[in-house]
Amino acid sequence: MNAQLLSADERRSLLDAETSGQFPDARGRFGPYGGRYVPETLIPALERLEAGMREHLHRADFQAELADQLSNWVGRPTALSYAPRLSAAWGAHVWFKREDLAHTGAHKINNALGQALLAQRLGAKRIVAETGAGQHGVASAAACARLGLPCIVYMGAIDMERQAPNVGRMRLMGAEVVPVTGGDQTLRAAIDEALRDWVSDPMGTFYLLGSAVGPHPYPYLVRELQAVIGREAREQFLKRHGGLPDAVFACVGGGSNSIGMFHAFIPDRGVEIIGIEAGGRGPKLGENAASLSYGHPGVLQGCYSLLLQDENGQIHETDSISAGLDYPGVGPEHALLHAAGRVHYESATDAEALDALQECSRLEGILPALETAHALHGAKRWAEKNQGRHALICMSGRGDKDMPTLQRTLLGDAK
Ligand SMILES: *Cc1c(COP(=O)(O)O)cnc(C)c1O
C-alpha cells in the first residue's frame, strides 16, 4: 500500500482510527500493517505474552513499580534542554528531549526495563534477547541485573567482534553473551537463535525484543513503554514555552524512540511530525536503510510492514554509518502513520548526519549518537524554511559509543 494511492477519505479514516486508539485491532494490526506472521510453534508463546501483557501492563501496581524504577534507576524524567547556539545558527528555536541522559545512554532502557518487569510478573525464570550493535543487549543486561533475572543475549559472531566493548559491558553486568556462528553471523541469525530458544521453553523464558517491530504484541508493547518520552516532553514543553512545538523530530530505525516521541503528539494536528531515516550513501537499493522512504510492503520477522526488498521479495542488504538505524524494515505503526499522512518521513545521508553531529557537539557541548544526528539534520533542513519557529528533537542517545567510527571518519585516525 502506498500513501499516495489512498484517497483523502481513506487517509482520514485511518488517522481517526489511530487517534481514537482502535489500533492495534484484535488481530494486532495497524490498518493493513502489523499482524503475526510466524510459524505455528510461536503462536502459543505470543498469545501467552499478549494475555499477560493485557492483564498487567496498565494495572496501577505495575505502573507504580515501573514509575519507581524509571525515576530511581533510569533517571526520569529526562531533561528538556533549549539549545541556544544551535538555535542562533539555524534561525529556528531548537529544543532537545534528553534521552541521552537516561541510564545506559539512550532510550532503549525504557523498553528493556519495562519488559523485564513484565517478565517478572509473568513468572519468567530467564530472559533471552538478541542484539546487533549491542546497545539493546546492554540495556537488557542492565535491566536484568537490576531485577535479578538471568539474561542470555544472542549476538552474531561478526557483530561480537565489531562491538567488543558492548560485549564486555554485558558480561560485566552478568549477562551470558552467546555467539551465533550460523547464517549471516549478524543480527538476523541472532534473532533466529533467540526465537528458537524462546520456543523451546515459552513458559519459563521471556523474549525481550528491542524495537517497535516483530509480531503482535511487540510493536504495541514497545510503543506503550516508550511513549513516556513524548508524554514527558509534551508536558515539559507546554510548561516552559506556554504552547506546543511547531514540529517534532526523531530518527527512525526499527522505530521505537520515534514512536515513543510521536505518540503523545499525534492528536495535536497543528504539530508537524517528521521522522528521519538513514539515507546512507544514496537513494539506490543497498545504499541506505530508509524503509519508509524507499521500501515496499512485505513480511519481515513476523510483521507486515514496509521493507527494503528486491523485485523478488528478497530482503536487501542495507547500509548506514549508524548501526542502530541499519535495519531493512520498520515498525508497522510507522507504516500506518505514513499511509495516513500524519507523519512525514524523509532521510538524511551519512555525510549529513556527520555534519549535524559536529555542529551539535561544537555549539551545544552535546555529542549525539550517530542515529540521533540524522534527526538533527532533518530539523536543520526544516529550520531553513521555518525561521523563528520551534523544533523539538528527540535526542535518542549519546555518541560515546560511536567513538571508533568518529575516530575513523572525522578525526582522521588511520585505523
Ligand atoms: C537503537 C537506537 C536507535 C534506533 O532504534 P529505534 O528503535 O528506531 O529507536 C536510535 N538512536 C539510538 C541512540 C539508538 O541506540
Side-chain angles (χ1 to χ4, degrees), residues 106-108 135 211 251-257 324-325 369 371-372 396-397:
H107 67 288
K108 288 194 170 72
Q135 295 304 114
S211 190
C251 63
V252 184
S256 70
N257 88 89
L325 302 184
E371 292 84 0
T372 315
S396 59

Side-chain angles (χ1 to χ4, degrees), residues 102-415:
H103 181 46
T104 67
H107 67 288
K108 288 194 170 72
I109 197 71
N110 304 322
N111 172 54
L113 170 69
Q115 286 195 44
L117 279 170
L118 182 61
Q120 208 170 41
R121 293 268 164 149
L122 299 184
K125 297 284 173 279
R126 62 199 273 281
I127 302 288
V128 295
E130 91 295 314
T131 196
Q135 295 304 114
H136 172 59
V138 168
S140 301
C144 289
R146 174 76 176 176
L147 302 182
L149 285 164
C151 181
I152 295 94
V153 181
Y154 290 95
M155 193 168 183
I158 293 175
D159 286 338
M160 280 181 74
E161 219 165 281
R162 285 196 290 219
Q163 309 289 341
N166 277 338
V167 175
R169 279 184 198 117
M170 288 182 252
R171 289 188 170 146
L172 283 170
M173 290 188 284
E176 182 191 343
V177 184
V178 180
V180 178
T181 52
D184 63 359
Q185 300 195 40
T186 68
L187 181 62
R188 246 192 284 166
I191 291 173
D192 289 342
E193 216 45 51
L195 285 173
R196 206 164 299 156
D197 183 321
W198 188 32
V199 174
S200 72
D201 175 25
M203 303 296 273
T205 298
F206 186 99
Y207 179 32
L208 206 171
L209 202 148
S211 190
V213 298
H216 180 64
Y218 283 108
Y220 167 76
L221 175 58
V222 175
R223 198 263 327 267
E224 288 296 287
L225 293 171
Q226 292 291 7
V228 65
I229 302 173
R231 257 196 326 269
E232 283 178 9
R234 192 176 179 280
E235 196 176 305
Q236 289 167 318
F237 196 92
L238 277 170
K239 205 179 243 173
R240 294 265 292 278
H241 176 63
L244 291 169
D246 296 299
V248 173
F249 298 84
C251 63
V252 184
S256 70
N257 88 89
S258 46
I259 201 67
M261 181 69 168
F262 297 165
H263 197 252
F265 291 97
I266 287 169
D268 301 319
R269 302 293 162 98
V271 177
E272 259 186 272
I273 308 181
I274 301 165
I276 322 290
E277 302 189 284
R281 289 174 286 115
K284 287 211 210 84
L285 191 61
E287 289 182 344
N288 59 72
S291 342
L292 291 150
S293 304
Y294 305 119
H296 300 282
V299 171
L300 176 66
Q301 278 144 22
C303 174
Y304 185 70
S305 186
L306 292 174
L307 314 176
L308 292 168
Q309 52 192 328
D310 65 20
E311 63 273 19
N312 300 317
Q314 291 293 322
I315 303 303
H316 210 277
E317 291 290 301
T318 52
D319 193 30
S320 168
I321 193 166
S322 68
L325 302 184
D326 203 356
Y327 180 72
V330 69
E333 195 164 9
H334 286 289
L336 179 273
L337 290 166
H338 175 65
R342 177 63 185 99
V343 179
H344 177 69
Y345 296 90
E346 53 192 45
S347 61
T349 64
D350 291 349
E352 289 168 335
L354 284 169
D355 280 350
L357 176 142
Q358 290 184 88
E359 209 176 359
C360 179
S361 303
R362 286 186 187 153
L363 295 181
E364 295 297 337
I366 298 172
L367 173 58
L370 271 167
E371 292 84 0
T372 315
H374 290 73
L376 291 171
H377 179 79
K380 180 179 183 173
R381 194 155 48 196
W382 178 88
E384 285 168 16
K385 287 168 272 142
N386 290 279
Q387 297 280 295
R389 299 179 78 202
H390 290 261
L392 169 60
I393 306 166
C394 183
M395 180 65 66
S396 59
R398 57 182 183 233
D400 308 38
K401 69 179 178 58
D402 296 313
M403 280 317 295
T405 307
L406 299 176
Q407 229 125 18
R408 246 184 300 113
T409 50
L410 296 178
L411 300 170
D413 282 15
K415 206 159 88 42

